[in-house]
Amino acid sequence: MEIRYNWTKEEILEIYNKPFMDLLYEAASVHRQHHDQNTVQVSTLLSIKTGGCPEDCGYCPQAARYHTNIEGNDLMSVNQVKAQALRAKASGSSRVCMGAAWRNVKDGAEFDSVLEMVRTINKLDMEVCCTLGMITENQAQRLAEAGLYAYNHNLDSSEEYYKEVISTRGYQDRLDTIGNVRKTNVTVCSGGIIGMGESISDRAGMLVALATLNPQPESVPINALVPVEGTPLEEQEQVSIWEMVRMVATTRIVMPHTQVRLSAGRTQMSREGQAMCFFAGANSIFAGDKLLTTPNPDVNEDMEMFKQLGLQPQKPFVKKAQPETVSAEESKFQNLGEKPKWTRPGHSIERNLEAQKKARTRMG
């Protein structure tokens, strides 16, 4: 199946709204053409720096402006991260994804430390992914030299609905960051969240934005919102498994070569529901008891489910060769002390301001 880069919203809506059995059959057929249907990648998500983020993302318990009982922590040490990576490897993970609650990467000691973490994990023969906020081209090059395999930067939703959820950064900044990653040999991981109050048309809009990127992202996480008390979206009703399967299936059809990641919200899904997602083309999960700050099924539960379904964990570097690691001393790209001006849109979001007010009351 040839990859298309000219999908329209109308075409994607037509796929999403197909009779359920037809949609499932088509997605499963596309999946089998391009992937081993009985192999699923297991990744471990590690929050290397939690809480205190200056952004106002309506779904996120790590935003400093909301009161969500999240315990913040400073950046982990390289040794702590190595120990967690070894534990993840022993339990069947082939990829470690490191997340830091930053708006954007700042050159300096903390970023140097993250580069050392990347070098360390790549040398353990595991794929390394980072999600650190917006990055410049030079920062992307430094991560690539360290041995980064993938960079995650989610679009979250359609460009139109994005403005209803986040007011502290612009959609174009997301696309520019992905563009900076594309100037290196690092693969792109970018997806979004459903269940934030968006319309089906917005879901299709997000898929248009991703599917029309050339090349398409190598990895697309589909998250179901986990409403967290204290965030502006705490009252949102959780999406049904049917919506999740439709979203996975549609993503698989429009991005046939991409790894579709079944991400946040799995604790609310039955094994039968997850099996339908795998059948519809999801071929990656996050393992471990937490996804940054929200609950996630235990790794032993996942392995039990794999056994029931006859699934095998994917080995590392199946889709792309392992990157080489260049030592800090031999690096061609150095700390430039950059201070890029990322966008701060001027609008405000009523429910985000409301949640801030509540947080001040609780803390006061």
Side-chain angles (χ1 to χ4, degrees):
M1 183 178 179
E2 212 175 296
I3 298 181
R4 276 187 55 193
Y5 301 102
N6 59 348
W7 288 99
T8 65
K9 194 192 278 191
E10 293 65 38
E11 287 173 315
I12 291 178
L13 279 170
E14 200 178 313
I15 293 169
Y16 184 98
N17 290 316
K18 277 186 178 199
F20 190 74
M21 297 304 174
D22 293 347
L23 175 62
L24 217 53
Y25 179 76
E26 186 181 340
S29 304
V30 171
H31 186 58
R32 282 158 186 261
Q33 252 182 292
H34 302 285
H35 305 269
D36 176 351
Q37 69 273 15
N38 294 318
T39 301
V40 172
Q41 185 177 44
V42 181
S43 305
T44 293
L45 188 52
L46 194 55
S47 184
I48 57 172
K49 190 268 170 193
T50 308
C53 183
E55 303 278 54
D56 77 335
C57 309
Y59 52 79
C60 186
Q62 299 203 63
R65 61 190 73 205
Y66 310 133
H67 184 62
T68 57
N69 296 321
I70 288 298
E71 271 186 52
N73 70 274
D74 293 333
L75 190 69
M76 289 168 77
S77 71
V78 175
N79 283 340
Q80 283 174 311
V81 167
K82 184 179 182 178
Q84 296 272 24
L86 286 167
R87 194 171 140 226
K89 188 177 184 177
S91 66
S93 283
S94 61
R95 179 183 285 206
V96 172
C97 304
M98 297 189 285
W102 293 336
R103 169 178 163 80
N104 57 280
V105 168
K106 293 187 175 79
D107 288 342
E110 288 201 326
F111 185 43
D112 291 345
S113 190
V114 171
L115 293 170
E116 206 44 55
M117 292 172 195
V118 172
R119 290 185 190 101
T120 303
I121 298 173
N122 190 43
K123 285 175 188 165
L124 297 176
D125 296 328
M126 297 183 82
E127 294 176 13
V128 196
C129 178
C130 281
T131 181
L132 312 168
M134 275 93 73
I135 55 171
T136 64
E137 185 183 340
N138 186 66
Q139 290 163 344
Q141 293 287 7
R142 294 179 75 199
L143 284 162
E145 274 194 329
L148 191 71
Y149 187 88
Y151 194 83
N152 166 266
H153 203 59
N154 289 337
L155 293 184
D156 291 334
S157 190
S158 69
E159 186 165 7
E160 296 73 27
Y161 197 70
Y162 189 87
K163 301 180 185 81
E164 305 296 319
V165 180
I166 300 159
S167 76
T168 52
R169 60 178 186 223
Y171 204 73
Q172 190 57 45
D173 288 346
R174 316 301 281 168
L175 296 167
D176 290 348
T177 289
I178 291 169
N180 288 337
V181 174
R182 276 289 177 228
K183 291 167 188 165
T184 72
N185 64 353
V186 175
T187 64
V188 166
C189 176
S190 186
I193 306 169
I194 67 170
M196 299 191 291
E198 76 289 339
S199 65
I200 291 170
S201 177
D202 286 314
R203 292 175 192 175
M206 179 183 83
L207 291 181
V208 168
L210 292 166
T212 53
L213 290 172
N214 188 356
Q216 292 177 341
E218 285 81 355
S219 168
V220 172
I222 302 295
N223 297 276
L225 178 74
V226 179
V228 176
E229 194 183 341
T231 62
L233 296 176
E234 64 181 359
E235 302 291 336
Q236 280 298 130
E237 206 175 303
Q238 293 199 302
V239 292
S240 71
I241 188 64
W242 308 107
E243 292 171 275
M244 200 64 186
V245 176
R246 280 188 181 278
M247 193 65 184
V248 165
T250 308
T251 305
R252 169 50 67 230
I253 292 164
V254 300
M255 290 180 267
H257 291 270
T258 292
Q259 286 214 265
V260 180
R261 298 181 181 273
L262 192 55
S263 300
R266 278 203 306 125
T267 42
Q268 278 71 47
M269 295 178 203
S270 67
R271 280 191 184 173
E272 296 86 344
Q274 290 179 70
M276 272 199 295
C277 288
F278 295 134
F279 187 69
N283 57 345
S284 176
I285 59 165
F286 286 105
D289 57 355
K290 262 192 183 173
L291 281 194
L292 295 181
T293 57
T294 54
N296 196 46
D298 176 76
V299 70
N300 296 328
E301 268 181 57
D302 285 333
M303 289 307 113
E304 181 57 40
M305 174 175 70
F306 273 34
K307 209 166 132 189
Q308 279 182 334
L309 300 175
L311 297 174
Q312 294 295 323
Q314 182 182 300
K315 289 182 166 52
F317 314 115
V318 168
K319 304 285 182 182
K320 185 173 180 284
Q322 181 173 7
E324 279 181 40
T325 285
V326 176
S327 68
E329 298 72 43
E330 291 175 4
S331 173
K332 280 194 305 199
F333 296 91
Q334 297 301 320
N335 173 350
L336 298 179
E338 293 177 282
K339 292 195 171 118
K341 288 269 180 258
W342 296 102
T343 320
R344 286 192 181 274
H347 72 291
S348 55
I349 301 166
E350 201 48 55
R351 63 185 170 194
N352 291 14
L353 295 174
E354 208 49 54
Q356 264 178 269
K357 258 189 240 164
K358 267 194 215 166
R360 281 199 290 269
T361 313
R362 283 177 194 161
M363 288 153 89

